[in-house]
């Protein structure tokens, strides 16, 4: 996966992992993916993740490691009484079709009957849920919808 693919690969891996009732799935470590994983963990949709260090590092000192030394990782999926914590995850904005919502459009989305989802937005303040974006009065690109 190149970093140009954005979040799609990670979202697909998590979706397929839940469909197959897996305990964990691997992912390509990028700073973008880690930001999305933080939102998913904070929302209670995953248990967490671990990061693997490449084996060709000369120094054994943790202080010498940089973000580029981490290339792979594992996402630990969360189940509550055998039921996936994340029932649905859909990619909204793609490279071929970017989807941006203003603050008023987010509020209209929420007013729709039966919306019941959590939107993850890429904003000038980082990745935020739609609730956080409304609180901070900012809009952005819709990365995915969670249920």
């Amino acid at each position: 996966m190149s970093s140009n693919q954005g979040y799609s690969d990670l979202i697909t891996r998590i979706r397929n992992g839940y469909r197959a009732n897996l305990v964990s799935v691997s992912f390509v470590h990028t700073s973008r993916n880690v930001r999305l994983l933080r939102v998913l963990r904070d929302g209670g949709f995953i248990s967490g993740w671990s990061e693997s260090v490449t084996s060709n590092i000369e120094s054994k000192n943790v202080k010498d490691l940089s973000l580029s030394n981490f290339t792979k990782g594992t996402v630990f999926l969360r189940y509550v009484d055998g039921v996936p914590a994340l029932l649905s995850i859909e990619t909204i904005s793609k490279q071929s079709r970017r989807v941006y919502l203003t603050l008023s459009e987010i509020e209209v989305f929420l007013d729709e009957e039966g919306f019941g989802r959590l939107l993850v937005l890429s904003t000038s303040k980082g990745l935020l849920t739609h609730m956080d974006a409304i609180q901070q009065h900012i809009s952005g690109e819709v990365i995915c919808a969670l249920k």
Side-chain angles (χ1 to χ4, degrees), residues 111-127:
D111 289 338
E112 288 183 13
E113 188 175 330
F115 178 67
R117 295 182 185 199
L118 183 70
L119 295 177
V120 177
L121 297 134
S122 178
T123 69
S124 58
K125 300 203 178 191
L127 288 186

Side-chain angles (χ1 to χ4, degrees), residues 90-94 97-102 106 109 118-122 140-145:
E90 299 174 47
T91 303
I92 303 296
S93 195
K94 303 175 182 179
R97 180 186 50 107
R98 302 287 187 191
V99 178
Y100 297 91
L101 291 180
T102 63
I106 294 171
F109 239 61
L118 183 70
L119 295 177
V120 177
L121 297 134
S122 178
E141 180 182 1
V142 183
I143 301 302
C144 60

Side-chain angles (χ1 to χ4, degrees), residues 3-140:
S3 62
N4 290 340
Q5 283 183 294
Y7 303 101
S8 298
D9 183 65
L10 177 60
I11 290 169
T12 300
R13 288 172 187 247
I14 291 172
R15 181 186 321 111
N16 291 343
Y18 274 121
R19 285 184 180 165
N21 290 317
L22 299 177
V23 173
S24 64
V25 294
S26 64
F27 74 100
V28 177
H29 186 284
T30 64
S31 57
R32 299 177 90 195
N33 283 346
V34 170
R35 287 193 297 265
L36 179 58
L37 289 173
R38 281 189 189 117
V39 171
L40 293 175
R41 182 197 57 205
D42 293 347
F45 296 109
I46 63 171
S47 295
W49 69 92
S50 68
E51 300 164 356
S52 303
V53 179
T54 55
S55 60
N56 60 352
I57 298 174
E58 296 173 15
S59 174
K60 300 291 183 196
N61 191 346
V62 174
K63 293 178 185 177
D64 295 334
L65 298 177
S66 68
L67 190 60
S68 63
N69 296 125
F70 296 92
T71 57
K72 295 189 311 183
T74 303
V75 179
F76 301 105
L77 305 179
R78 183 170 177 258
Y79 295 88
V80 179
D81 297 327
V83 177
L86 185 62
L87 300 175
S88 166
I89 181 169
E90 299 174 47
T91 303
I92 303 296
S93 195
K94 303 175 182 179
Q95 271 189 308
S96 60
R97 180 186 50 107
R98 302 287 187 191
V99 178
Y100 297 91
L101 291 180
T102 63
L103 192 57
S104 60
E105 290 171 331
I106 294 171
E107 291 169 346
V108 167
F109 239 61
L110 295 178
D111 289 338
E112 288 183 13
E113 188 175 330
F115 178 67
R117 295 182 185 199
L118 183 70
L119 295 177
V120 177
L121 297 134
S122 178
T123 69
S124 58
K125 300 203 178 191
L127 288 186
L128 300 174
T129 64
H130 69 268
M131 295 177 291
D132 293 334
I134 289 171
Q135 275 183 340
Q136 297 181 29
H137 302 298
I138 53 177
S139 55

